[in-house]
């Protein structure tokens, strides 16, 4: 399997599909998933002639199940290692959920001269945790609950999340897909429990405010207003205000996992932004 080894000895798996001279799209997956979560986007953009690159975050999917380095600085550095190895330039970096924070942090810390555009989808910035400076965030107890559920029975927790809030399957009238639920579970269970446990702190407690202010490439912020994982009010509109010249697109009734449940809508809007 294609992979690179980082400076601290971690093997990062990646997919690199499409013509090498085409515009490269780099996709950053959410917690606790893998590059496979982008299947609907990878196939769509491959068919449109793009080069698509997606990696498994350290400790996730097919990458090394290391016990440490599960923070945004390491996540961004790992992405930089993949992109430098492939020598990608003019990239469109697209991040979902935790991957939105990763894509943002990479763009600001390592992406100068390489990143052309940035997309944040259902993304965790600016800050998920409730603090004195962020009164609209979620209390620490919510994330402590995630950690407790993961430690007690990760396999069951990883069924409950996709069967319920992630895809909005707990909403009345929702069209539930057992395959989607089991695919989420499959991806989650491929990764390491330690990476997933530490990742909760990374996605909930990292403050991306300064990163957002530092973005200097065209940016699209996409979010469903029925997102039960990353609540809309304390994320997308605040991020869009902090990124100069960004565009905010709000999707009425769409869930956190809208790249899967409403792929045709999301893909069309991504394509329009990429080609604009």
């Amino acid at each position: 399997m294609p992979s690179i080894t980082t400076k601290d000895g971690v093997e990062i798996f990646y997919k690199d599909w499409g013509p090498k001279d085409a515009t490269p799209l780099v996709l950053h997956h959410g917690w606790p998933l893998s590059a496979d979560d982008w299947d609907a986007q990878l196939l769509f953009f491959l068919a449109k002639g793009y080069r698509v690159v997606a990696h498994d975050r350290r400790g996730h999917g097919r990458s090394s199940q290391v016990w440490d380095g599960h923070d945004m600085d390491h996540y961004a550095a790992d992405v930089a290692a993949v992109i430098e190895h492939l020598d990608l330039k003019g990239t469109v970096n697209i991040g979902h959920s935790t991957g939105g924070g990763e894509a943002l942090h990479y763009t600001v810390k390592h992406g100068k001269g390489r990143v052309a555009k940035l997309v944040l989808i259902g993304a965790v910035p600016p800050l998920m945790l409730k603090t004195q400076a962020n009164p609209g965030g979620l209390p620490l107890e919510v994330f402590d609950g995630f950690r407790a559920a993961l430690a007690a029975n990760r396999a069951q927790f990883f069924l409950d999340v996709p069967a319920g809030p992630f895809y909005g399957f707990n909403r009345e009238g929702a069209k539930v897909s057992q395959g989607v639920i089991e695919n989420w579970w499959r991806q989650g269970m491929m990764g390491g429990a330690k990476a997933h446990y530490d990742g909760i702190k990374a996605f909930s407690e990292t403050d991306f405010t300064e990163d957002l202010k530092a973005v200097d490439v065209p940016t699209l912020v996409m979010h469903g207003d029925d997102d039960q994982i990353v609540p809309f009010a304390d994320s997308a509109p605040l991020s869009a205000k902090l990124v100069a010249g960004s565009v905010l697109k709000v999707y009425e009734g769409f869930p956190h996992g809208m790249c899967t449940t409403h792929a045709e809508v999301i893909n069309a809007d991504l394509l329009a932004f990429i080609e604009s």
Side-chain angles (χ1 to χ4, degrees):
M1 295 190 295
S3 65
I4 58 98
T5 302
T6 66
K7 291 177 182 177
D8 60 343
V10 180
E11 284 193 18
I12 302 294
F13 166 86
Y14 64 88
K15 305 179 187 188
D16 177 16
W17 300 345
K20 296 297 183 272
D21 59 348
T23 299
L25 312 184
V26 180
L27 298 103
H28 308 247
H29 67 79
W31 178 96
L33 304 171
S34 73
D36 295 356
D37 197 45
W38 290 110
D39 281 356
Q41 285 68 49
L42 295 174
L43 293 174
F44 175 84
F45 285 104
L46 195 61
K48 295 291 183 182
Y50 287 89
R51 180 179 183 180
V52 291
V53 175
H55 71 291
D56 289 355
R57 188 170 300 121
R58 65 167 58 203
H60 295 62
R62 290 139 292 203
S63 293
S64 298
Q65 289 195 16
V66 291
W67 74 274
D68 61 347
H70 306 297
D71 56 71
M72 285 294 163
D73 285 341
H74 281 88
Y75 294 167
D78 293 346
V79 173
V82 172
I83 289 177
E84 288 164 14
H85 172 72
L86 297 174
D87 194 26
L88 303 179
K89 294 184 174 70
T91 63
V92 180
N93 287 67
I94 303 168
H96 174 243
S97 196
T98 299
E102 176 186 275
L104 168 65
H105 202 53
Y106 164 77
T107 296
V108 171
K109 298 296 182 184
H110 305 279
K112 199 74 174 177
R114 291 190 183 272
V115 179
K117 294 183 178 182
L118 175 65
V119 183
L120 306 178
I121 306 176
V124 297
L127 172 62
M128 286 195 74
L129 184 68
K130 181 178 182 178
T131 64
Q132 194 168 2
N134 186 43
L138 296 170
L140 181 62
E141 290 76 19
V142 171
F143 304 109
D144 285 343
F146 290 172
R147 281 182 277 263
L150 188 152
N153 190 340
R154 185 169 66 124
Q156 186 60 51
F157 183 47
F158 283 5
L159 283 175
D160 294 341
V161 173
F166 197 93
Y167 296 109
F169 290 161
N170 56 347
R171 296 305 198 203
E172 186 176 352
K175 185 179 179 182
V176 177
S177 168
Q178 190 62 31
V180 165
I181 293 168
E182 293 181 12
N183 188 43
W184 200 100
W185 182 90
R186 174 192 68 84
Q187 291 179 70
M189 295 305 292
M190 284 170 65
K194 182 63 162 59
H196 294 158
Y197 190 93
D198 290 356
I200 295 169
K201 180 181 179 70
F203 74 64
S204 65
E205 297 184 30
T206 303
D207 188 340
F208 295 96
T209 301
E210 295 307 313
D211 281 351
L212 291 162
K213 291 178 181 178
V215 173
D216 61 358
V217 297
T219 301
L220 173 63
V221 180
M222 310 167 78
H223 217 106
D225 70 0
D226 192 33
D227 191 321
Q228 300 173 68
I229 303 296
V230 180
F232 170 76
D234 199 56
S235 53
L238 304 184
S239 290
K241 284 181 181 178
L242 289 167
V243 179
S246 64
V247 174
L248 172 63
K249 287 191 72 74
V250 184
Y251 298 85
E252 185 177 353
F254 281 22
H256 188 62
M258 62 185 186
C259 293
T260 297
T261 59
H262 297 81
E264 68 290 344
V265 176
I266 301 305
N267 290 348
D269 286 350
L270 284 172
L271 181 64
F273 175 70
I274 291 165
E275 295 186 343
S276 64

